[in-house]
Amino acid sequence: MITSEKRDIPFGRPWITDDDRKAVMNVLGGHILTHGPECKAFETEFAAFMGGGGHAVTTSSCMASLHLAYLHFKIGPGDEVIVPAQTHTATVHAVECVGARPVFVDCDPKTGNLSASSIEAAVTPRTRAISVVHFVGIPCDMPAIMKVAEKHNLKVIEDCALALGARVGGRHVGLWGDAGCYSFYPVKHITTGEGGMFVSRHRDVIEGVTKLRAFGVDRSHGERAIPGMYDVPTLGLNYRMSEMQATLGRVQLGRIGENLRGRQANFKAIKEGLRGIDGLQTLDSTSEDALNSHYCLIAVLDEKLGDRRNDVSARLNAAGIGTSVYYPQPVPRMTFYKTKYGYDRAHYPQAERVSDRGIALPVGWHVSNEDCKYITETLGRVMKELG
Ligand SMILES: *Cc1c(COP(=O)(O)O)cnc(C)c1O
C-alpha cells in the first residue's frame, strides 16, 4: 500500500536559472550575436572540462557535428559505416546524408552498447568507419573498439549526445576516436535550446571542421585584413552556434559537476530500489573503468510482462512519473530504413528488446531523493498489479 501522495516528476526538464537568463540578456544587450567571444569561450571551457588534450568546435546540433565528421573524412558513396541498431535516428541519418551505407549491428544486452566483437564481425572491405554511441551515458568499451579500428584502418566517430561527463579509464568519451559529437537539445545533460559540439584530439580535424561548419570560408572574421574579404576553397555548410546559445551553454557547463553528481545519486538510488523487484533488469556499465554519465535509467521488462510495457508506462504516468523510450524503435525498423534496406528482426533481438520492453526513468537535476523512492515503490506496485 502506497501512502505517499501522487507526485509530478517529468522525464526531463531543462535546468534554467536566473544566471542563464542574465547571460542571454547580456549578449542581447551587446552587438555581437554570432562569430563572437562567447562561442570561443564555450569551446575553450568545454575542452578544459574534458581534459586529455581535446579541442572543441561549437555547432548547431549533434546531427550537424556527425554530418561534419563524415564530410571531413570524405566518407561517401560506396563506403560502409558500422552503426548501432539501437540509437537515435540522427546517428544513422548523418551516414545517409553523405551517401554512405549504414551497416546495423545489434547491442549488448547488459549495456545497450556495441561490442568490439560484434563490430569486427560486421567489417567488410568497404567499411570506412564505425559510429559508436555511448547509450544513455553508458560508455562503450573504447580500448577494445579502438583495437578493432586500428586493425582495419577505420575512423571512429563517437556519438556522445547523452554522454557528457562519461569517461573510460579516465579519458572523456569523444576523445578516444577521431571525432566526438555532443547535443545540447533541451533534455540532454546541458542545453542551449538547440546546439552541439564537435570534439577531437587532432588539430587538423578541428581546423577542417571549423571551416566546413561556416560555408567552407578560408578565414574567420578576426583573420580578415580587409573586412568582408574572404575566399571559399571548399564546399561547406552553415552549422554555426549563435552567441546567445553559447553563453547559455557556458553557464550550464558551470553547473556540470552538480548536475552529474545529482544524476549519479538518483541513478544509484533507483537502481538499488529496483533490485528487489522481479521481472526487470536495469542497463548499466559493466566495467570498473567506465564512468557512466547517467542520462536516465532504463529498466527492461522480462519476457513475461514484455508485451505490457505500454501499460506499465501508462500506469507510471498516471501516478505522475514521466517516462520515455530510448529509442522508440531500432533504427533499421524505422520506415525510411525498412523501406530502403528491408528489415529482418532476427538480426536485432537485443535492440528490439530495449525498444519494445524498455522504460526510461528520470534521474535528472529535478528528481529528489523522495522522488526516487516514489518511483521504485510505484514501479514495484505496478509490476505486482500486472504480474
Ligand atoms: C538526441 C540525440 C541526437 C540528436 O541530437 P541533436 O542535437 O538534436 O541533433 C543524436 N544522437 C543521439 C544518441 C541522441 O540521443
Side-chain angles (χ1 to χ4, degrees):
M1 173 73 183
I2 304 283
T3 49
S4 46
E5 302 239 319
K6 179 179 159 179
R7 287 173 175 255
D8 176 22
I9 315 166
F11 174 74
R13 176 168 280 177
W15 186 9
I16 304 295
T17 68
D18 280 345
D19 288 344
D20 299 69
R21 284 182 275 269
K22 268 191 215 133
V24 175
M25 290 312 285
N26 269 342
V27 168
L28 287 172
H31 306 288
I32 305 174
L33 304 187
T34 189
H35 291 296
E38 293 294 331
C39 279
K40 278 251 175 311
F42 188 25
E43 289 164 357
T44 306
E45 288 159 11
F46 197 89
F49 168 72
M50 288 187 304
H55 311 282
V57 183
T58 47
T59 64
S60 53
S61 71
C62 181
M63 172 144 177
S65 301
L66 292 162
H67 190 195
L68 289 167
Y70 296 115
L71 290 173
H72 176 78
F73 294 120
K74 300 201 165 24
I75 290 168
D79 297 332
E80 291 178 358
V81 179
I82 293 171
V83 294
Q86 185 50 261
T87 183
H88 189 289
T89 316
T91 318
V92 192
H93 273 4
V95 175
E96 283 285 331
C97 281
V98 294
R101 184 187 174 108
V103 174
F104 294 102
V105 169
D106 201 16
C107 61
D108 172 82
K110 292 209 170 79
T111 62
N113 279 328
L114 290 188
S115 68
S117 56
S118 64
I119 290 171
E120 183 138 42
V123 173
T124 76
R126 289 171 175 264
T127 311
R128 288 279 318 282
I130 308 165
S131 183
V132 297
V133 178
H134 305 289
F135 188 65
V136 297
I138 302 169
C140 295
D141 182 357
M142 292 313 293
I145 290 171
M146 293 311 292
K147 271 201 194 115
V148 174
E150 274 154 33
K151 184 170 156 197
H152 298 281
N153 195 24
L154 308 175
K155 295 289 177 200
V156 176
I157 318 296
E158 297 179 64
D159 182 338
C160 310
L162 302 182
L164 180 55
R167 292 172 192 266
V168 184
R171 187 187 290 179
H172 202 282
V173 297
L175 298 180
W176 280 89
D178 298 277
C181 303
Y182 288 85
S183 173
F184 307 130
Y185 183 77
V187 296
K188 314 274 171 163
H189 287 72
I190 65 172
T191 186
T192 59
E194 297 276 5
M197 197 70 88
F198 177 99
V199 309
S200 179
R201 279 173 296 133
H202 309 292
R203 271 234 168 266
D204 57 321
V205 176
I206 291 292
E207 279 164 19
V209 165
T210 301
K211 292 197 165 88
L212 279 176
R213 77 151 172 192
F215 306 120
V217 161
D218 65 342
R219 64 200 88 165
S220 69
H221 279 214
E223 293 162 350
R224 295 175 193 169
I226 300 171
M229 290 297 290
Y230 56 80
D231 189 18
V232 177
T234 51
L235 189 62
L237 294 148
N238 179 355
Y239 278 171
R240 286 188 309 257
M241 178 180 277
S242 75
E243 290 285 284
M244 290 80 82
Q245 292 171 301
T247 201
L248 181 55
R250 293 180 66 195
V251 184
Q252 296 254 321
L253 187 63
R255 293 195 299 269
I256 189 66
E258 188 186 341
N259 186 330
L260 291 169
R261 280 192 298 278
R263 289 173 180 276
Q264 184 174 37
N266 289 336
F267 185 97
K268 214 171 143 221
I270 297 174
K271 189 176 167 180
E272 295 278 315
L274 295 182
R275 232 184 265 282
I277 300 174
D278 281 341
L280 54 79
Q281 291 158 48
T282 53
L283 302 185
D284 197 359
S285 311
T286 51
S287 155
E288 298 257 303
D289 268 356
L291 179 62
N292 186 342
S293 65
H294 305 105
Y295 173 72
C296 63
L297 183 143
I298 296 189
V300 185
L301 302 179
D302 290 350
E303 188 123 45
K304 191 163 83 78
L305 270 188
D307 60 350
R308 307 295 299 277
R309 193 273 310 273
N310 292 352
D311 288 341
V312 176
S313 297
R315 285 173 198 229
L316 291 176
N317 299 159
I321 299 169
T323 59
S324 190
V325 181
Y326 281 80
Y327 290 89
Q329 301 202 53
V331 176
R333 203 172 79 190
M334 295 281 187
T335 300
F336 173 80
Y337 290 98
K338 195 165 62 182
T339 309
K340 185 159 182 183
Y341 298 113
Y343 182 72
D344 181 353
R345 57 178 312 178
H347 287 160
Y348 315 106
Q350 295 305 330
E352 289 219 334
R353 170 177 156 264
V354 174
S355 280
D356 299 340
R357 295 198 246 138
I359 301 168
L361 298 169
V363 306
W365 67 278
H366 62 290
V367 178
S368 68
N369 290 343
E370 294 75 42
D371 290 339
C372 293
K373 201 153 174 274
Y374 179 74
I375 289 169
T376 55
E377 283 177 0
T378 309
L379 183 51
R381 168 173 60 81
V382 168
M383 295 290 286
K384 276 217 185 80
E385 285 168 8
L386 292 174

